[in-house]
Amino acid sequence: MPGSLAWCTTCLVTGCEPSCFCSVQGQERDPLMMKVPVFWLISFCIIADGCDGSLGGNDDIKTKRELSVTKKKHPGPVHEYELLLQVSYKDAKEKRDLKNFLKLLKPPSLWLHGPMEIIRAKATTYCGNHNGVLRCACEDGYTWFPASCLDPQKCYFHMAESLQSCDCHLNNLTQSVNFCERTKVWGTFRINERFTKDLLNSSSAIYSKYTTGIEIQLKEAYKRIHGFESVRVLQFRNGSIIAGYEVIGSSSTSELLSAIEQVAEKAKAGLRELFPLEDDSFRIFGEVQCNSIVFGFGLKNDEYTLPCSRGYTGNITAKCQPSGWQVIREMCVLSQLEELKENFSMMEGNATEATMSSLVRNLSVIVQQNPSTTAGSLASVVSILGNVSSLSVANNFRVSNSTMEDIISIADHILNSASVNNWTILLQEEKHASSQFLEALENISVLVPPAALPVNFSGEFINWKGIPVSESQHKIGYNYQTEIFSPNTSIPIRGHVIIGSDQFQGSLPETIISMASLTLGNILPITKNKDAQVNGPLISTIIQNYSINEIFLSFSKIDSSLSQPHCVFWDFSHLQWNDAGCHLVTETLDMVMCRCTHLTSFSMLMSPFVPSAIIPVVKWITFVGLGFSIGSLILCLIIEALFWKQVKKSQTSYTRHICMVNIALCLLVADIWFIVAANVKATVNPSGICIAAIFFTHFFYLSLFFWMLTLGILLAYRVIFVFHHMAISLMMAVGFCLGYGCPLIISVITIAVTEPSNSYNRKDMCWLNWSRGSKPLLALAVPALTIVAVNLVVVLLVLTKLWRPAVGERLSQDNKATIIRVGKSLLILTPLLGLTWGFGIGTMVDSHNLVWHAIFALLNAFQGFFILCFGMLLDGKLRQLLFNKLSSLSSLKKTSKQNSSDLPAKPKFAKFANPLQHKGTYAFSLTGESSNDITLTQFLSTE
């Protein structure tokens, strides 16, 4: 397939005798095009007419070439010309011939009255026909410099393949400006002069003045740099005057940067001849964070403000971020909307129903004629509708069907899902705009008279339905159903409103209005629980001057992977989502039903905390584990009661078993209250049994943790202070103050602070709340995780002591026994000190991972069972006592003997039962009490 070759030249004419200098440029053309005098155009046209102009060739390419020509200087003014050509070729051989032709090309002899010289020629960009699309790519050693390629209006980067290419849906690239280049660097400097908006208009005289002067001075400074080809001013910014320019070269980036820095003083001196240049403002960059056609180039956190395009008023501001230029403020308003606002303000004092209808009609026409809605235009539309609403309500205007249809048409247009980003930008400046829009819709809706109803307006992004109320509401109540299709899905999102007939007693209202939208719920801000999101349609039901006590609403889930639904309504008083008077009734895989006690705009919030697929597994593990734990803890307390006299003979054993008993007791009571809370419906009696269950569950779980902290402190004390003994009364006082005093203070303060604001408990279940600003769940999570961290340090301290070689012990001795002791110690200490609760961090950090939730539920639901196994049954002393007790029960003849006999000094299971005993330097107390006492009491030598 033949291809096409394009190149350009830039010629310098000195006085009346022309000479030429060519820069690196290129342009794709169908006909032969040149920015030179006509005779040059004719001359090259004749040459081009002899070439095959069809696309194709084995290389399937068109190639862009550049010619550079120059001549010795002659006195007189210098003029610059640019030549842009396209030449086709049939195959790779013709392409090589064309390259060789460029190398050997000499300037024509008939150039006015003077000679010229070609000093540079290069190929950078090649193009070819690819499935009807013109695809261009870079020659070896060259690259695209985003954010545009060729024609910024009609071409775009193609990144599907490893080779970056530029795709254009046209063959005539007369506007092409950005070809492949070898090197680009950028520079900025500041001019101490007042910035004017004309500097943002490339066609203004002042823009031309600054651009021409800067480019002439920079070219003069850079022209002797090896590889320099051109310099171009790209932008002016406010801040005095900040000028930005780019330099194109054929050397490497580092070489070009180094050369520019070497001549920086010369460039500054030249610029100072024209402008008051600010000292130390001259900067050169080899790489820029952001680069676009609209905002130019910039570094991280740079901000650039531009006037809006033609037909709009206002400015747009972007900030350079890692992902590129991001619009942070945009107040571009259609000029027609500005005129409409002015007209409205003029007629405000003499408004009538007819003028209101006419204004809404004009607004609808303007909005429909301009499919792209800017953030500034959104603000104007919201403002106009708000004024229409306020004025109509104040004057008790009626709204006709046609006017209401125009209102819904306007709403459907600005609620287009493509406008969500513009709403986000608008809400950064006017955070209540979406709430004002919803309020205006509701206020206008109730002005439709009963005689104009029933009517139903169904748009793509909003549905509106109004009915006149009749006697039938006494029998059938009110039923509203809607379906809205989410973008890119074929499954409808449904909404359903049911008001029972018992709610319509006595006098009836005039109308009932309902409307539903998916987009409207997404643009209303979530101010408290940032992790939650609206996961269903927003449904608004309005009955003017009428109150109801019960309304049921069903919502389809937009994202079924989200969980923890919260039934909420938009609170216009506090401008936020509120759940007061709304409760969850049922939840299925794809639907949520809510019950509310008032009318307004409803939706549901859901959080990505626990995926719905995990909940059944976690529930099963929890309740099975709690069953085992409760039984195990009761058995633990029975064992302690049976052998209390035997285990309290020493101070160490006594304090340890006091901690054990209280840990088992607190966990037992906490588990029981947890089951009670799980089986109480929060929606039935949230202020009664549910509140009590939450309080006691909170208190006893805190007590559990603080008793585990007490045990950890006791263990650390015995390990560190081997020969020091504290009075048992003092130890008990500290233990009970920590174990019950601190939890009581925390739990009482929590309920006292949060319950008055109705934020103590969750609305969908009996547990401490997390979704509101106060977050009372932190009153459990923070102490618990802190205690787990402290106890982890204690365990590491104990393990370090156990692993240390004993005095006189040979280093080469087999460490198998030590490893066994360490392992058994971990089994004992992990459940007793609550280390398993540390897995709760995993459920918070990676909440979608089933493994974290399953491990957390498994270890902590079975904690009572683990305490029985590892805290009791691994204790050799208790095991021996239990064995003797069971033996006595099996043999009545030996009962008195077994009950009166003393235990042997070295019971059969003593060695196994003391996993923390260490041969050598340290040993644990073996004074006839539980051999599981992990207190260091004496120095021993193995010799």
Side-chain angles (χ1 to χ4, degrees):
M1 296 174 64
S4 177
L5 176 68
W7 69 81
C8 85
T9 68
T10 304
C11 302
L12 302 181
V13 182
T14 306
C16 61
E17 297 185 28
S19 64
C20 294
F21 175 84
C22 293
S23 66
V24 179
Q25 306 241 6
Q27 188 147 354
E28 186 65 40
R29 313 263 179 154
D30 278 336
L32 184 64
M33 298 292 293
M34 295 161 285
K35 292 185 191 173
V36 292
V38 174
F39 61 85
W40 185 262
L41 177 62
I42 296 173
S43 174
F44 273 81
C45 275
I46 294 171
I47 296 172
D49 286 342
C51 301
D52 185 347
S54 61
L55 295 173
N58 292 340
D59 286 17
D60 188 26
I61 56 176
K62 296 179 180 180
T63 304
K64 170 267 188 180
R65 299 284 179 175
E66 176 191 0
L67 304 178
S68 297
V69 296
T70 192
K71 175 63 177 133
K72 295 179 181 179
K73 280 192 175 181
H74 294 273
V78 176
H79 302 284
E80 181 175 322
Y81 300 89
E82 184 180 63
L83 178 66
L84 303 171
L85 301 173
Q86 171 179 302
V87 179
S88 300
Y89 56 87
K90 293 181 179 180
D91 50 32
K93 181 179 181 301
E94 283 197 7
K95 180 181 177 182
R96 289 193 298 270
D97 291 344
L98 286 170
K99 287 184 178 181
N100 294 331
F101 169 74
L102 287 177
K103 295 176 183 178
L104 301 174
L105 186 65
K106 296 181 178 180
S109 59
L110 300 175
W111 179 267
L112 293 180
H113 305 287
M116 64 179 178
E117 179 185 1
I118 300 174
I119 62 170
R120 184 165 54 240
K122 68 177 183 179
T124 65
T125 311
Y126 63 92
C127 306
N129 192 344
H130 182 78
N131 297 327
V133 175
L134 188 67
R135 175 165 292 181
C136 300
C138 298
E139 292 278 9
D140 293 341
Y142 294 86
T143 185
W144 297 109
F145 284 86
S148 68
C149 61
L150 297 177
D151 188 338
Q153 304 299 323
K154 300 175 181 178
C155 303
Y156 62 93
F157 279 111
H158 183 74
M159 303 292 292
E161 301 171 1
S162 59
L163 178 66
Q164 290 186 351
S165 62
C166 183
D167 288 2
C168 305
H169 292 279
L170 72 169
N171 290 326
N172 188 348
L173 301 178
T174 57
Q175 302 301 316
S176 297
V177 292
N178 297 298
F179 291 86
C180 302
E181 303 292 354
R182 187 182 299 279
T183 303
K184 273 189 184 182
V185 298
W186 295 266
T188 61
F189 58 89
R190 189 186 300 267
I191 300 171
N192 285 323
E193 291 183 353
R194 185 178 179 182
F195 183 87
T196 69
K197 289 187 177 180
D198 288 337
L199 287 171
L200 300 175
N201 181 6
S202 60
S203 61
S204 68
I206 190 171
Y207 181 92
S208 178
K209 169 193 169 183
Y210 278 87
T211 300
T212 303
I214 292 170
E215 289 180 353
I216 288 174
Q217 294 301 323
L218 291 178
K219 284 178 182 177
E220 181 64 24
Y222 297 158
K223 66 181 182 180
R224 301 187 187 282
I225 293 177
H226 174 70
F228 167 74
E229 294 176 356
S230 68
V231 61
R232 179 167 61 117
V233 175
L234 298 178
Q235 61 200 26
F236 293 101
R237 297 182 183 176
N238 198 354
S240 299
I241 297 175
I242 302 175
Y245 62 93
E246 72 175 12
V247 180
I248 296 175
S250 57
S251 58
S252 67
T253 301
S254 58
E255 291 174 347
L256 187 59
L257 278 173
S258 176
I260 289 176
E261 289 172 356
Q262 291 176 12
V263 298
E265 292 302 322
K266 182 178 181 180
K268 293 177 186 177
L271 291 169
R272 286 194 182 99
E273 294 178 3
L274 301 177
F275 312 108
L277 191 69
E278 182 178 305
D279 293 337
D280 301 326
S281 66
F282 206 83
R283 303 168 67 192
I284 300 294
F285 315 103
E287 184 178 356
V288 290
Q289 186 88 34
C290 305
N291 193 12
S292 74
I293 294 297
V294 177
F295 296 105
F297 67 89
L299 301 180
K300 186 178 180 181
N301 295 326
D302 281 355
E303 289 190 12
Y304 192 18
T305 300
L306 286 175
C308 301
S309 58
R310 184 176 301 175
Y312 291 84
T313 61
N315 296 317
I316 181 171
T317 301
K319 186 174 184 179
C320 182
Q321 297 179 349
S323 58
W325 288 108
Q326 298 294 322
V327 175
I328 56 174
R329 287 185 297 276
E330 183 263 280
M331 296 308 295
C332 296
V333 183
L334 273 169
S335 301
Q336 297 167 291
L337 288 176
E338 283 294 304
E339 294 175 7
L340 194 63
K341 287 179 69 176
E342 292 176 5
N343 294 337
F344 181 84
S345 60
M346 293 173 59
M347 72 175 189
E348 191 170 357
N350 302 312
T352 64
E353 289 184 3
T355 56
M356 287 292 100
S357 297
S358 176
L359 185 141
V360 170
R361 176 93 280 259
N362 292 337
L363 178 60
S364 178
V365 171
I366 292 171
V367 168
Q368 298 301 324
Q369 289 177 347
N370 295 272
S372 59
T373 305
T374 63
S377 294
L378 285 175
S380 291
V381 171
V382 171
S383 176
I384 293 172
L385 290 179
N387 291 334
V388 168
S389 167
S390 300
L391 201 59
S392 298
V393 171
N395 292 281
N396 199 26
F397 291 156
R398 289 296 189 177
V399 175
S400 65
N401 276 1
S402 60
T403 301
M404 195 66 230
E405 186 175 10
D406 287 336
I407 295 286
I408 297 304
S409 176
I410 295 167
D412 192 58
H413 182 84
I414 67 175
L415 290 176
N416 190 310
S417 57
S419 300
V420 172
N421 287 338
N422 288 326
W423 275 104
T424 303
I425 296 170
L426 173 60
L427 292 173
Q428 292 174 357
E429 295 295 314
E430 301 180 22
K431 59 181 180 180
H432 303 317
S434 55
S435 179
Q436 293 166 0
F437 175 56
L438 175 60
E439 189 172 19
L441 285 180
E442 291 190 359
N443 290 339
I444 294 174
S445 295
V446 298
L447 298 178
V448 180
L453 302 175
V455 68
N456 187 3
F457 301 120
S458 183
E460 186 176 356
F461 300 98
I462 186 171
N463 290 338
W464 187 95
K465 180 182 179 181
I467 66 165
V469 177
S470 64
E471 292 296 327
S472 63
Q473 263 65 54
H474 283 305
K475 297 180 180 179
I476 64 174
Y478 175 72
N479 193 310
Y480 169 70
Q481 297 186 64
T482 185
E483 286 188 354
I484 303 176
F485 286 87
S486 183
N488 304 320
T489 63
S490 58
I491 302 175
I493 303 299
R494 296 182 174 89
H496 191 189
V497 176
I498 300 174
I499 303 177
S501 58
D502 59 318
Q503 301 298 311
F504 297 98
Q505 301 298 325
S507 61
L508 294 173
E510 290 186 339
T511 63
I512 301 178
I513 307 296
S514 289
M515 57 184 173
S517 172
L518 291 181
T519 313
L520 195 49
N522 291 327
I523 62 177
L524 290 169
I526 298 174
T527 57
K528 290 192 174 180
N529 183 6
K530 298 295 184 181
D531 294 316
Q533 64 189 67
V534 175
N535 196 32
L538 179 138
I539 302 177
S540 182
T541 298
I542 312 113
I543 306 178
Q544 192 176 24
N545 300 323
Y546 199 80
S547 62
I548 66 166
N549 298 319
E550 187 176 63
I551 178 174
F552 290 92
L553 305 103
S554 294
F555 304 93
S556 288
K557 295 180 182 177
I558 298 174
D559 184 354
S560 59
S561 67
L562 298 179
S563 64
Q564 299 183 350
H566 297 266
C567 301
V568 292
F569 70 94
W570 183 253
D571 185 349
F572 287 106
S573 300
H574 299 92
L575 299 173
Q576 64 184 14
W577 292 106
N578 197 336
D579 56 8
C582 290
H583 309 295
L584 177 69
V585 178
T586 58
E587 178 189 8
T588 64
L589 291 177
D590 57 356
M591 291 288 294
V592 168
M593 176 172 280
C594 300
R595 172 186 174 272
C596 296
T597 58
H598 52 78
L599 290 172
T600 184
S601 298
F602 302 94
S603 191
M604 62 168 175
L605 300 179
M606 297 184 72
S607 305
F609 289 157
V610 183
S612 56
I614 296 177
I615 294 175
V617 177
V618 172
K619 281 187 175 180
W620 185 87
I621 294 174
T622 298
F623 286 105
V624 171
L626 287 177
F628 274 93
S629 285
I630 289 173
S632 301
L633 292 169
I634 293 173
L635 189 57
C636 286
L637 294 175
I638 293 173
I639 293 174
E640 290 284 358
L642 287 175
F643 306 112
W644 186 251
K645 291 182 179 180
Q646 287 84 354
V647 299
K648 70 171 187 177
K649 291 182 178 180
S650 75
Q651 178 183 4
T652 301
S653 178
Y654 180 72
T655 53
R656 187 178 75 87
H657 280 279
I658 285 287
C659 292
M660 290 278 292
V661 168
N662 282 281
I663 287 173
L665 182 63
C666 290
L667 183 56
L668 173 63
V669 178
D671 286 347
I672 293 173
W673 274 111
F674 182 91
I675 293 175
V676 172
N679 287 279
V680 172
K681 292 185 178 180
T683 56
V684 175
N685 189 12
S687 60
I689 300 177
C690 181
I691 297 297
I694 296 171
F695 176 83
F696 286 113
T697 304
H698 183 204
F699 170 75
F700 281 105
Y701 272 125
L702 281 177
S703 297
L704 166 69
F705 282 106
F706 276 94
W707 273 109
M708 290 190 294
L709 174 64
T710 303
L711 182 61
I713 293 173
L714 174 64
L715 177 58
Y717 171 77
R718 289 302 187 188
V719 169
I720 297 172
F721 303 102
V722 177
F723 301 106
H724 185 273
H725 294 278
M726 183 186 299
I728 193 167
S729 58
L730 178 60
M731 295 179 70
M732 289 300 96
V734 172
F736 278 89
C737 286
L738 274 179
Y740 294 111
C742 291
L744 184 62
I745 293 172
I746 295 173
S747 55
V748 169
I749 291 176
T750 301
I751 192 171
V753 170
T754 58
E755 179 58 23
S757 61
N758 198 30
S759 59
Y760 180 63
N761 61 300
R762 285 173 50 169
K763 302 306 176 185
D764 56 334
M765 63 182 296
C766 287
W767 187 231
L768 293 170
N769 201 4
W770 178 256
S771 60
R772 300 177 69 91
S774 56
K775 299 189 185 305
L777 184 59
L778 289 174
L780 174 64
V782 171
L785 292 178
T786 303
I787 290 170
V788 169
V790 172
N791 283 349
L792 179 61
V793 174
V794 172
V795 171
L796 294 177
L797 176 65
V798 172
L799 296 183
T800 302
K801 293 287 186 179
L802 286 174
W803 197 264
R804 185 177 300 170
V807 175
E809 186 178 16
R810 297 179 182 177
L811 295 178
S812 59
Q813 183 177 338
D814 186 7
N815 286 327
K816 182 177 179 181
T818 303
I819 294 173
I820 293 174
R821 284 194 298 271
V822 169
K824 290 179 180 178
S825 299
L826 280 175
L827 286 178
I828 294 171
L829 296 179
T830 297
L832 287 178
L833 298 184
L835 301 188
T836 55
W837 290 84
F839 286 95
I841 298 175
T843 65
M844 293 186 290
V845 174
D846 188 11
S847 60
H848 288 278
N849 194 327
L850 172 62
V851 176
W852 286 118
H853 290 278
I855 291 175
F856 181 80
L858 185 67
L859 294 179
N860 295 300
F862 284 88
Q863 186 178 8
F865 177 72
F866 295 145
I867 289 175
L868 173 66
C869 293
F870 305 130
M872 293 283 184
L873 299 183
L874 273 185
D875 187 328
K877 189 67 176 179
L878 283 178
R879 238 186 10 260
Q880 184 62 43
L881 289 169
L882 186 61
F883 175 78
N884 292 340
K885 190 70 174 178
L886 294 175
S887 299
S888 65
L889 292 175
S890 62
S891 178
L892 295 176
K893 293 181 180 181
K894 298 181 180 180
T895 299
S896 58
K897 181 179 180 181
Q898 292 292 336
N899 288 337
S900 60
S901 64
D902 291 328
L903 290 170
K906 293 184 179 180
K908 180 178 179 181
F909 301 101
K911 184 177 180 180
F912 172 79
N914 187 10
L916 300 181
Q917 184 178 348
H918 193 294
K919 294 180 180 179
T921 306
Y922 302 101
F924 291 95
S925 174
L926 291 174
T927 57
E929 297 79 26
S930 170
S931 61
N932 199 30
D933 291 342
I934 47 179
T935 303
L936 296 167
T937 58
Q938 57 183 326
F939 238 10
L940 295 177
S941 172
T942 57
E943 294 180 357

